[in-house]
Amino acid sequence: MPEIFVEGGHRLRGELYVQGSKNAVLPILAAAVLPEGETVLTRVPVIGDVAVSLEILSALGVSVSFADGRLTLCADSLCSAEVPQELGARMRSSVLFLGSLLGRRQEVRTAFPGGCAIGSRPVGLHLSVLRQLGAEIFSEGDRLCGRVEQFTGGTVTLPSPSVGATEQALLAAVSAAGETLLRGAAREPEVQILCDFLCACGAKIRGQGTGEIRVTPAPLHGCHFEIPGDRIAAGTYLAAAAATSGDVTVRGIFPAQLRSSLAVFRRLGCLVDEGEDWVRLIREGALRPVSRLETEPYPGFPTDMQPLILPLLALASGESRLWENLFENRLGLAGELNRMGADIEVHDRLAVIHGVESLAGCPVAAHDLRGGAGLLVAALAARGDSHITGRKYMERGYEEPERNLAALGAVIRCSGESGQRRGKREEARWRNSDR
Ligand code: EPZ
């Protein structure tokens, strides 16, 4: 299995153009079964979860052609509503095919979704919104199934602003017989981007970015759409700059989407400059502790940035307190950081971090996507060499992290097949494929 070797202590300098957003492209790929005609997506990241989504689309009969970040899809040849069990169980966002396949095929069979081990990851809110729109949802053994003549439309209420359940409701509502008002919707940029894609396909959607989204269905046609930059990947490289007293500019990102994270970098003592589509982070002095930090739904501090900030707090000059309010098991990174010499106490959802002078490189293991990225940030700052296993989690969401970090001055390598070669191999599978 690929592993990562890092020689810590090198300052990162330079700039990079960030990959397309994983959490924006995945719901769009679930939506791709809906429009008639050809859809072309550009700036599609070459990452594991996209590869699984393309396998699912191909198994459904969608024609797929993928090369150099440009993805051409056509669902006119769609011939199935069954998501293969072994594919559906590999990632969280496979659950989004429920709404889109019910809208297109009036039936669906899929797996209970997989995803990072950061909590129980229930899907009750997804099933609730589909039922509120008229679907019959049931399980057959380990399969999740549904059927509906046509979604009805109406008012759908979410008790909490679940990103996935909001996306699920949108993917169903665009095929409904009437207008839908979604109350309690998530405000994340990735939800807004899905709405932008569905509007480009012909839907009429208003209110995205607020808690109330109104969807007026219309026949959906293919479109050309560029995937915006990945705000969490951008935040990851900025955190790597902060960890190494570096000076890094990330381009291809809208600073407004990272507002709360940039505020945390500033509270840590970093200098953060920003332009229309770039952010520059410079760290010169010591990292400052942050007395109270909580993860919250957008526009609050994002849970996905928590594992990237934790190693910085571990190196700050004092005590910090961080609450993980979104996922019940997302502070597991603390154990691995403590193996590197950090001093972090975890009490349920609270991490009390006593800053230390430095971390020591050592063998550590990634257990989830962002936790693995957090270990990378820590290893870049540490004294000596680190050996990180579990790279398979990181390649689900990061496009060639070793290559990007090495270009900024990191001394890093990946054993086994590199992400770049794997990505090219994956792309070769879809280059001008006949399906
Ligand atoms: C999306 O996950 C993202 N994944 C996550 O990013 C992100 O952490 C999360 O939103 C929050 O921003 C993708 O977009 C593919 P939620 P999602 O539904 O939709 C509970 C990453 O690292 N909940 O907003 O699964 C849930 O348990 C990933 O890129 C229910 O109780 O998140 C959690 O406590 C990790 N029932 C809270 O809501 C449900 O039916 C927020 O989850 C659904 C969710």
Side-chain angles (χ1 to χ4, degrees):
M1 292 304 285
E3 300 169 350
I4 301 176
F5 297 87
V6 179
E7 179 185 284
H10 299 274
R11 299 186 66 186
L12 299 191
R13 293 166 182 265
E15 62 178 62
L16 86 150
Y17 184 74
V18 78
Q19 70 184 61
S21 167
K22 164 180 99 75
N23 290 349
V25 74
L26 293 178
I28 287 173
L29 293 176
V33 301
L34 288 167
E36 295 292 329
E38 186 175 85
T39 291
V40 176
L41 301 177
T42 53
R43 202 177 171 187
V44 175
V46 181
I47 56 176
D49 278 5
V50 166
V52 174
S53 299
L54 298 187
E55 294 271 8
I56 291 173
L57 288 168
S58 180
L60 295 171
V62 175
S63 74
V64 175
S65 176
F66 187 30
D68 304 325
R70 178 187 178 90
L71 177 58
T72 304
L73 301 163
C74 183
D76 294 353
S77 47
L78 189 79
C79 58
S80 167
E82 174 143 11
V83 174
Q85 172 74 16
E86 71 284 358
L87 293 174
R90 281 174 54 187
M91 62 177 192
R92 171 77 178 169
S93 53
S94 65
V95 70
L96 296 176
F97 281 95
L98 283 173
S100 59
L101 284 172
L102 281 168
R104 178 69 191 268
R105 301 273 298 190
Q106 293 74 54
E107 62 175 350
V108 63
R109 279 170 63 82
T110 185
F112 283 88
C116 282
I118 55 176
S120 58
R121 310 303 295 274
V123 292
L125 297 179
H126 292 249
L127 309 188
S128 167
V129 299
L130 293 172
R131 288 174 175 136
Q132 289 181 60
L133 290 170
E136 181 191 350
I137 306 290
F138 52 97
S139 61
E140 284 178 352
D142 59 355
R143 311 288 278 153
L144 191 49
C145 307
R147 64 170 76 97
V148 68
E149 277 310 303
Q150 186 177 14
F151 287 116
T152 51
T155 298
V156 175
T157 303
L158 275 172
S160 61
S162 156
V163 171
T166 300
E167 292 164 345
Q168 186 76 256
L170 291 166
L171 291 169
V174 290
S175 304
E179 190 171 85
T180 294
L181 174 62
L182 179 55
R183 288 207 168 112
R187 303 164 183 239
E188 272 70 3
E190 293 76 23
V191 170
Q192 300 178 51
I193 295 164
L194 174 61
C195 291
D196 294 344
F197 172 75
L198 293 170
C199 289
C201 292
K204 290 171 180 49
I205 301 176
R206 297 178 304 285
Q208 49 270 49
T210 74
E212 281 207 359
I213 302 178
R214 192 177 294 276
V215 180
T216 306
L220 298 181
H221 52 73
C223 68
H224 283 229
F225 190 84
E226 177 172 304
I227 305 298
D230 189 313
R231 61 189 174 109
I232 306 300
T236 301
Y237 293 109
L238 295 173
T244 58
S245 299
D247 177 354
V248 169
T249 299
V250 178
R251 295 193 180 281
I253 192 70
F254 299 120
Q257 295 183 351
L258 269 171
R259 185 63 55 225
S260 56
S261 301
L262 299 184
V264 174
F265 285 124
R266 292 184 173 111
R267 289 173 70 186
L268 281 160
C270 300
L271 173 65
V272 178
D273 193 9
E274 52 187 85
E276 185 185 343
D277 63 350
W278 57 267
V279 176
R280 180 180 183 186
L281 184 145
I282 302 172
R283 176 202 154 192
E284 282 160 354
L287 289 169
R288 293 200 295 255
V290 176
S291 57
R292 182 180 185 84
L293 182 58
E294 296 199 51
T295 62
E296 298 174 292
Y298 194 85
F301 175 64
T303 176
D304 290 351
M305 280 298 297
Q306 177 263 104
L308 289 321
I309 296 296
L310 193 60
L312 303 180
L313 296 173
L315 288 164
S317 53
E319 179 178 298
S320 303
R321 287 174 178 257
L322 183 153
W323 280 264
E324 170 50 67
N325 295 320
L326 273 295
F327 290 104
E328 69 273 20
N329 184 28
R330 200 172 199 176
L331 289 170
L333 173 62
E336 293 300 298
L337 293 178
N338 286 343
R339 285 165 43 79
M340 300 176 77
D343 180 357
I344 305 172
E345 301 161 24
V346 173
H347 310 281
D348 190 23
R349 290 180 180 240
L350 165 64
V352 180
I353 306 109
H354 307 283
V356 295
E357 188 72 28
S358 63
L359 297 175
C362 72
V364 285
H367 299 291
D368 64 82
L369 167 61
R370 305 302 175 186
L375 285 176
L376 257 183
V377 169
L380 290 165
R383 285 178 288 100
D385 295 349
S386 295
H387 170 205
I388 305 173
T389 56
R391 184 186 186 283
K392 65 178 181 180
Y393 296 106
M394 284 173 260
E395 67 186 22
R396 291 186 48 202
Y398 289 97
E399 193 176 61
E400 302 179 281
E402 300 89 358
R403 181 170 170 273
N404 288 328
L405 290 168
L408 294 170
V411 177
I412 182 171
R413 67 180 176 82
C414 171
S415 72
E417 187 180 33
S418 77
Q420 186 177 7
R421 279 203 301 276
R422 187 187 328 282
K424 292 301 177 204
R425 179 161 57 82
E426 278 297 322
E427 271 194 3
R429 289 195 55 206
W430 302 108
R431 191 183 299 275
N432 307 319
S433 72
D434 57 0
R435 290 199 68 174

